[in-house]
């Protein structure tokens, strides 16, 4: 009976989606978010060292696991979709006579409102830990993990604000900036600080590719060129120029491909973007299935909550586990081959903790709560059509939208 109700809900959600909706775009965004979440859960370990918690990575002890980062470091796809959606939205706003200020306020509200809940909770947690005499290094480690998603939001918010300026920018321009910055840093032995220019320039490359997608310039052939060119360039940079093979940061490593982004991270992102473009049509066909579309729609309606709280979920499970003892794959140093399969076993537990965080905080993603405690500001969903009719329990996803 439950299965038939879920199928009925999926069919209703499918029918409520506007026919003009590009479901492939939502699928790519959902896969990008879930890739980042699963990647962090797989390569981040909190290890108890005496009375201190420290962050370690299996990539430090087992470098042959670098291909894991190739699968789950999906930020370039998120910026590709973000650039596509933002430029589409800006063009639509201009057509309707909406001023830049009003458009930007709407975009920033969707991005930044959920951050308040995260900052509020971790301010309270930090003060509590300080007052109870917790080790300062432990507090620093926890805060660094909990608030690390905010760097991404700051960059994404900056690029969103610059959308009218970069909407017609050729992606080769920011790519050239990244190339020259790396030449200064690594080729000429210059200082490290110019690398931070790549925080904007590096992610501007896939963002402007998203704008080119909106303009209709990214054909299937362009996708093939990006995949082949990106793979060849990245392989050359890793094997011949000495760039790290891991596409995420590794604690203790001399150079990180991600912090700040290097040319290798950008070329790798180009390959990912090309693959995403090639998958558009297969994804559109897949998203015609109500069950598949329902899963993608749910992730998209909760994308900010999932992204902001996934590290908190990991830390909550780790802390609760310490009350039992040092558990394999959770608190142990990831230096053994057996650590990764043991960590995979913990993924459903992290998912359950994230579901608890979602239940507690997803209201902020929908605009917060009213003083009366009910649902807050109700916004029209761009994923679903709003229908004014009596609501059943199975209509939960449409209600969230």
């Amino acid at each position: 009976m439950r299965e038939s109700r879920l199928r009925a809900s999926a069919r209703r959600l499918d029918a409520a989606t506007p026919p003009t909706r590009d479901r492939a775009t939502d699928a790519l965004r959902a896969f990008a978010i879930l890739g980042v979440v699963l990647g962090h859960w797989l390569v981040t370990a909190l290890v108890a060292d005496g009375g201190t918690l420290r962050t370690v990575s299996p990539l430090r002890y087992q470098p042959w696991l670098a291909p894991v980062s190739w699968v789950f470091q999906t930020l370039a796809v998120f910026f590709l979709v973000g650039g596509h959606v933002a430029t589409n939205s800006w063009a639509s706003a201009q057509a309707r006579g909406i001023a830049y200020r009003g458009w930007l306020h709407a975009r920033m509200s969707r991005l930044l409102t959920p951050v308040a809940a995260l900052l509020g909770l971790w301010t309270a947690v930090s003060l509590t830990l300080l007052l109870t005499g917790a080790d300062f290094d432990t507090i620093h480690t926890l805060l660094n993990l909990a608030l690390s998603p905010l760097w991404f939001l700051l960059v994404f918010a900056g690029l969103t604000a610059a959308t009218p300026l970069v909407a017609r920018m050729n992606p080769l321009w920011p790519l050239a900036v990244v190339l020259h910055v790396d030449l200064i840093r690594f080729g000429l032995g210059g200082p490290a600080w110019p690398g931070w220019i790549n925080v904007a320039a590096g992610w501007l490359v896939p963002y402007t590719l998203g704008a080119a997608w909106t303009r209709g310039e990214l054909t299937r052939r362009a996708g093939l060129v990006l995949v082949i060119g990106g793979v060849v360039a990245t392989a050359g940079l890793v094997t011949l120029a000495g760039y790290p093979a891991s596409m995420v940061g590794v604690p203790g490593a001399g150079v990180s491909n991600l912090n700040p982004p290097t040319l290798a991270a950008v070329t790798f992102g180009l390959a990912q973007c090309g693959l995403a473009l090639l998958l558009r049509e297969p994804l559109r066909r897949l998203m015609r299935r109500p069950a598949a579309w329902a899963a993608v729609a749910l992730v998209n309606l909760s994308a900010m909550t999932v992204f902001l709280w996934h590290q908190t979920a990991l830390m909550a499970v780790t802390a609760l586990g310490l009350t039992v003892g040092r558990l394999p794959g959770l608190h142990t140093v990831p230096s053994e081959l057996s650590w990764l399969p043991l960590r995979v076993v913990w993924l459903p537990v992290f998912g359950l903790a994230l579901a608890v965080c979602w239940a507690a905080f997803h209201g902020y993603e929908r605009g917060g709560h009213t003083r009366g405690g009910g649902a807050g500001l109700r916004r029209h969903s761009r994923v679903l059509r709003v229908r004014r009719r009596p609501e059943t329990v199975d209509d939960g996803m449409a209600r969230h939208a």
Side-chain angles (χ1 to χ4, degrees):
M1 182 180 297
R2 177 175 295 178
E3 183 178 357
S4 358
R5 290 179 64 186
L6 288 174
R7 287 180 178 176
S9 298
R11 285 194 297 270
R12 273 197 295 274
L13 183 65
D14 180 67
T17 303
T20 55
R21 184 79 184 179
D22 185 358
R23 301 186 184 194
T25 301
D26 295 292
L28 289 172
R29 183 193 291 113
F31 292 152
I33 287 291
L34 294 179
V36 170
V37 170
L38 291 174
H40 281 162
W41 286 351
L42 285 172
V43 302
T44 304
L46 276 173
V47 175
D49 186 5
T52 304
L53 284 176
R54 59 188 177 92
T55 305
V56 293
S57 170
L59 297 172
R60 178 180 180 183
Y61 300 95
Q62 306 176 69
W64 60 271
L65 289 175
V68 173
S69 69
W70 304 346
V71 176
F72 294 106
Q73 202 284 80
T74 51
L75 285 173
V77 177
F78 195 94
F79 279 96
L80 170 76
V81 174
H84 173 55
V85 171
T87 50
N88 236 332
S89 172
W90 172 237
S92 175
Q94 287 182 301
R96 289 178 289 152
I98 298 176
Y100 170 76
R101 182 176 179 180
W103 173 83
L104 184 63
H105 180 268
R107 303 295 297 182
M108 291 298 104
S109 295
R110 297 189 190 101
L111 279 178
L112 302 180
T113 300
V115 172
L118 182 75
L119 292 177
L121 176 72
W122 275 100
T123 298
V125 169
S126 302
L127 289 174
T128 301
L129 290 173
L130 284 171
L131 292 174
T132 55
D135 182 80
F136 182 78
D137 289 336
T138 296
I139 298 174
H140 179 266
T141 296
L142 296 178
L143 280 177
N144 186 53
L145 279 179
L147 303 183
S148 59
L150 297 186
W151 77 261
F152 156 84
L153 284 183
L154 288 174
V155 176
F156 194 80
L159 295 183
T160 299
T163 296
L165 297 177
V166 303
R168 302 201 66 83
M169 179 182 289
N170 191 309
L172 290 176
W173 287 106
L175 180 60
V177 172
V178 174
L179 172 62
H180 283 82
V181 166
D182 273 23
L183 281 175
I184 293 171
R185 292 176 64 198
F186 306 125
L188 302 177
W193 66 262
W196 295 106
I197 298 172
N198 285 352
V199 173
W203 299 120
L204 189 56
V205 174
Y207 195 87
T208 50
L209 277 174
W213 177 2
T214 301
R215 299 193 299 269
E217 297 173 4
L218 296 186
T219 61
R220 181 174 179 82
R221 182 178 178 181
L224 283 170
V225 170
L226 287 171
V227 169
I228 296 172
V231 168
V232 171
T234 306
L237 289 169
V238 171
T239 58
L240 301 177
Y243 282 80
S246 171
M247 290 300 143
V248 298
V250 179
V255 177
S256 167
N257 271 325
L258 203 57
N259 189 31
T262 64
L263 181 61
V266 174
T267 56
F268 176 75
L270 291 177
Q272 286 185 315
C273 291
L275 181 60
L277 295 172
L278 294 178
L279 290 175
R280 284 180 296 181
E281 286 306 318
L283 284 174
R284 288 187 183 112
R285 291 193 293 270
L286 177 63
M287 290 302 107
R288 291 172 191 157
R289 300 180 181 180
W293 171 238
V296 165
L298 178 60
V299 173
N300 274 274
L301 293 173
S302 307
M304 283 295 298
T305 303
V306 169
F307 181 77
L308 286 174
W309 292 96
H310 73 278
Q311 295 283 54
T312 299
L314 181 149
M315 288 184 281
V317 172
T318 304
L320 288 174
L322 282 173
T323 62
V324 177
R326 288 170 55 86
L327 301 175
L330 189 63
H331 306 113
T332 51
V333 177
S335 57
E336 302 293 333
L337 182 63
S338 60
W339 186 89
L340 188 61
L342 288 170
R343 172 49 67 101
V344 171
V345 174
W346 284 102
L347 294 184
V349 184
F350 297 152
L352 181 61
L354 181 56
V356 173
C357 293
W358 177 86
F361 299 106
H362 77 285
Y364 291 91
E365 189 166 2
R366 306 199 324 267
H369 300 277
T370 62
R371 293 179 182 178
L377 176 64
R378 299 187 179 273
R379 295 172 177 152
H380 291 294
S381 172
R382 298 191 178 194
V383 178
L384 309 174
R385 286 191 299 261
V386 177
R387 294 181 175 179
R388 296 187 179 277
R389 58 177 176 79
E391 182 183 307
T392 66
V393 174
D394 292 332
D395 296 327
M397 287 172 60
R399 175 174 55 79
H400 296 330

